[in-house]
Amino acid sequence: MNFLGYKRPDGRIGIRNHVLILPTSVCASDTTRIISQQVKGTVTFNNQNGCSQVASDQQFTMDVMAGFAANPNIYGIVVVSLGCENCQMDLVVEAIKQRTNKPLQTVIIQEAGGTLKAIDLAARYAKEMVLQAGKILREECDISNLIVGTECGGSDPTSGLAANPVVGKLSDILVDLGGTSILSETTEFIGAEHLLAERGKNETVKNRILEIVHRYEKALQLVGEEVREGNPSPGNKAGGITTLEEKSLGCIHKGGHRMISAVYDYAKQIEERGLVIMDTPGNDPSSVAAMVAGGAQIIVFTTGQGTPSGNPIAPVIKLTGNKETYANMIDNIDFDASPLIYGNKTIDQLSHELLEITVDTANGKMTKAESLGYMEIGIARVCNYV
Amino acid sequence: MKNGIIVDPLDNVGVAIENIKKGEDIVYLDEAQKTIRLKAADNIPIYHKFATCDINMNAPIVKYAQHIGLAAIAISQGQHVHVHNVKSVRENLG
């Protein structure tokens, strides 16, 4: 099975051809927004971090920035910094160069002489890159080049009954075709981590799965917090989810049934193929950001209650198993998995329909989140989201 | 016409797939595709859980064939099962 993708100089395959205007800190974020508004074909995001952070937080931010830049959906990058932040331009450029050799330009606002001069310079670099990007044509690529991130948000019991099992089946199909699927959201393994650990490729992977879950719980307890305070969320409970264990068991259906071949730290580059885990919070924007930084070109996102969520770099396909949510949030949701609950369609039918949507999206069809311009992201911190 | 489902034969709770009013029949298929009828002892909102049998206080609530918590009080067949009568317990599984 093939899709039409963009071949990058680092050998990876993209499904979008954006130029990224990358803010290295919160102080550069408004500037990148203005630049991106001026040049069609660019994307940016609001980086709320990048300065005044402890080392481990700064590492998360650096990994997300470098990973976004290296994501194969990006043709080239214009990096914009204020100048005095902790995530210094040379550090960010070095981190990007360790992951990719694609076109890159830099602008430092304080050195350029303020906002208008920085915008002028960056917009010119961006426009030139967009023109170059336009020369790249899509080529036939094997589906094994796809890295699909899976996420759930606004879960209700239909997530565990329909949407997540359908995504799990899609994940199995992709893995069997040689592709890669990422299971994320460590906080939502709690109570079900033993079931995932049993599927680890070897002892190292098994132990690592248990370790990331227990470390997360301990880290929160260290600051006197309990993961259950935020989970299940009020929306989850209103929808019918009673306990975190119930949410977790529903959540891990997204990971299908294949062997788990590796566990990656937050936002690190995915190298293994097959089913892998990334250690992320359950918080949607920061979990999706980490998988996109890891190289996911596409996200498949299940929701029970409905969410507008998107991402600036990777298309986010949203599906629900809740027929009322599908009707109510039709502006935001791409696929209805509820026929699985009501017995009208089988999991095989639904997962193949979802595979078709995934390939269509890879070929260039916009998701609803893309068409609406959803771009929010989050970046995890040491005192983390849950 | 069914208005409920059970996920796994080991489960002691099912899930309403329509809004069910107190006193109405809950209708679902068991693992042998046999139709089961229970009287709803509470209003059960769509996608919320109901007890398929009596569950003793402190007994596990089982869904997806796994424990999702313990009964905080005795729960009768047909009752709504949710945060008001289930306690979340972190089991030592590691």
Side-chain angles (χ1 to χ4, degrees):
Chain A
M1 187 174 269
N2 291 338
F3 68 97
L4 294 166
Y6 298 99
K7 292 193 174 157
R8 302 299 178 204
D10 58 13
R12 297 161 76 190
I13 312 283
I15 63 167
R16 294 293 181 269
N17 201 27
H18 305 302
V19 167
L20 174 64
I21 316 296
L22 175 66
T24 67
S25 65
V26 63
C27 302
S29 289
D30 268 332
T31 310
T32 64
R33 174 177 55 79
I34 299 166
I35 298 161
S36 184
Q37 282 166 348
Q38 291 190 4
V39 187
K40 264 202 161 120
T42 64
V43 291
T44 190
F45 61 95
N46 183 1
N47 182 355
Q48 292 175 14
N49 302 339
C51 198
S52 323
Q53 294 175 285
V54 296
S56 45
D57 277 354
Q58 183 166 325
Q59 193 58 51
F60 281 155
T61 305
M62 290 292 293
D63 287 333
V64 167
M65 290 193 289
F68 275 9
N71 185 290
N73 292 349
I74 299 297
Y75 168 82
I77 316 103
V78 180
V79 189
V80 180
S81 80
L82 175 60
C84 54
E85 62 265 75
N86 283 114
C87 289
Q88 286 278 295
M89 180 63 87
D90 56 342
L91 295 176
V92 177
V93 168
E94 180 54 32
I96 293 170
K97 286 189 168 163
Q98 280 179 11
R99 291 206 196 198
T100 186
N101 59 351
K102 62 179 67 161
L104 186 149
Q105 292 284 2
T106 61
V107 174
I108 298 173
I109 298 167
Q110 288 163 346
E111 289 179 11
T115 296
L116 296 180
K117 286 174 187 156
I119 290 170
D120 185 53
L121 185 57
R124 281 173 198 286
Y125 288 146
K127 191 202 78 178
E128 191 51 42
M129 261 187 216
V130 168
L131 296 180
Q132 295 300 324
K135 293 182 186 168
I136 314 286
L137 299 179
R138 286 181 181 268
E139 295 175 54
E140 289 263 345
C141 303
D142 190 82
I143 198 159
S144 59
N145 290 292
L146 274 189
I147 304 178
V148 175
T150 67
E151 180 70 23
C152 52
S155 299
D156 75 2
T158 67
S159 306
L161 296 175
N164 289 346
V166 169
V167 169
K169 189 80 189 178
L170 174 76
S171 169
D172 289 349
I173 295 170
L174 287 167
V175 168
D176 293 345
L177 290 169
T180 302
S181 166
I182 315 171
L183 177 64
S184 65
E185 304 176 281
T186 307
T187 46
E188 295 183 13
F189 303 164
I190 295 176
E193 70 271 26
H194 58 300
L195 302 173
L196 289 174
E198 282 167 14
R199 289 163 49 198
K201 179 172 80 175
N202 52 33
E203 283 306 306
T204 312
V205 174
K206 286 178 205 286
N207 290 334
R208 189 89 182 94
I209 292 169
L210 297 175
E211 187 189 303
I212 59 171
V213 174
H214 299 156
R215 193 192 59 199
Y216 219 123
E217 282 186 288
K218 281 194 192 120
L220 288 168
Q221 284 160 357
L222 208 62
V223 289
E225 300 293 348
E226 180 51 54
V227 69
R228 287 167 203 282
E229 307 251 322
N231 255 311
S233 71
N236 294 151
K237 287 180 184 167
I241 289 178
T242 304
T243 65
L244 184 60
E245 284 72 13
E246 182 183 12
K247 188 176 170 183
S248 297
L249 289 163
C251 173
I252 66 167
H253 280 103
K254 298 195 305 295
H257 303 90
R258 296 295 174 260
M259 184 183 82
I260 297 165
S261 55
V263 178
Y264 287 93
D265 286 335
Y266 187 86
K268 296 293 184 191
Q269 191 151 317
I270 306 282
E271 309 282 0
E272 291 262 344
R273 287 193 174 172
L275 175 64
V276 302
I277 283 177
M278 183 172 275
D279 181 15
T280 72
N283 170 270
D284 312 331
S286 62
S287 178
V288 168
M291 291 189 285
V292 171
Q297 302 106 320
I298 194 162
I299 303 290
V300 179
F301 190 123
T302 68
T303 179
Q305 308 273 302
T307 166
S309 195
N311 179 271
I313 292 164
V316 178
I317 299 169
K318 288 198 295 288
L319 66 150
T320 185
N322 185 320
K323 59 178 181 171
E324 291 177 349
T325 298
Y326 185 68
N328 185 39
M329 297 278 282
I330 193 79
D331 288 348
N332 302 101
I333 298 177
D334 299 278
F335 186 64
D336 179 16
S338 72
L340 186 60
I341 295 176
Y342 292 89
N344 309 327
K345 283 184 184 173
T346 65
I347 193 161
D348 282 331
Q349 284 173 305
L350 288 163
S351 56
H352 278 93
E353 286 175 21
L354 184 59
L355 176 66
E356 210 168 294
I357 292 175
T358 306
V359 173
D360 285 349
T361 304
N363 288 341
K365 183 184 170 230
M366 275 200 182
T367 61
K368 289 189 175 172
E370 274 181 301
S371 73
L372 292 167
Y374 276 94
M375 298 219 161
E376 80 280 14
I377 76 144
I379 299 176
R381 289 165 298 187
V382 171
C383 186
N384 219 333
Y385 295 115
V386 292
Chain B
M1 188 59 192
K2 67 173 185 173
N3 57 10
I5 54 173
I6 50 165
V7 181
D8 190 281
L10 293 173
D11 295 355
N12 57 15
V13 292
V15 178
I17 61 170
E18 301 295 344
N19 283 307
I20 302 172
K21 288 210 169 67
K22 181 176 176 174
E24 285 180 356
D25 275 355
I26 303 171
V27 184
Y28 65 94
L29 302 177
D30 70 5
E31 69 272 27
Q33 299 300 302
K34 200 179 106 196
T35 301
I36 307 287
R37 276 175 194 278
L38 304 176
K39 193 66 76 190
D42 298 307
N43 290 329
I44 323 265
I46 185 168
Y47 306 131
H48 284 233
K49 292 177 290 301
F50 57 85
T52 57
C53 57
D54 293 342
I55 304 169
N56 292 332
M57 183 172 165
N58 289 324
I61 306 294
V62 184
K63 185 184 173 193
Y64 303 113
Q66 302 286 334
H67 296 184
I68 62 165
L70 300 179
I73 52 172
I75 301 172
S76 312
Q77 187 184 57
Q79 279 193 320
H80 182 208
V81 177
H82 198 32
V83 289
H84 62 288
N85 56 11
V86 177
K87 54 187 175 186
S88 183
V89 178
R90 180 70 164 109
E91 294 181 58
N92 188 12
L93 301 160

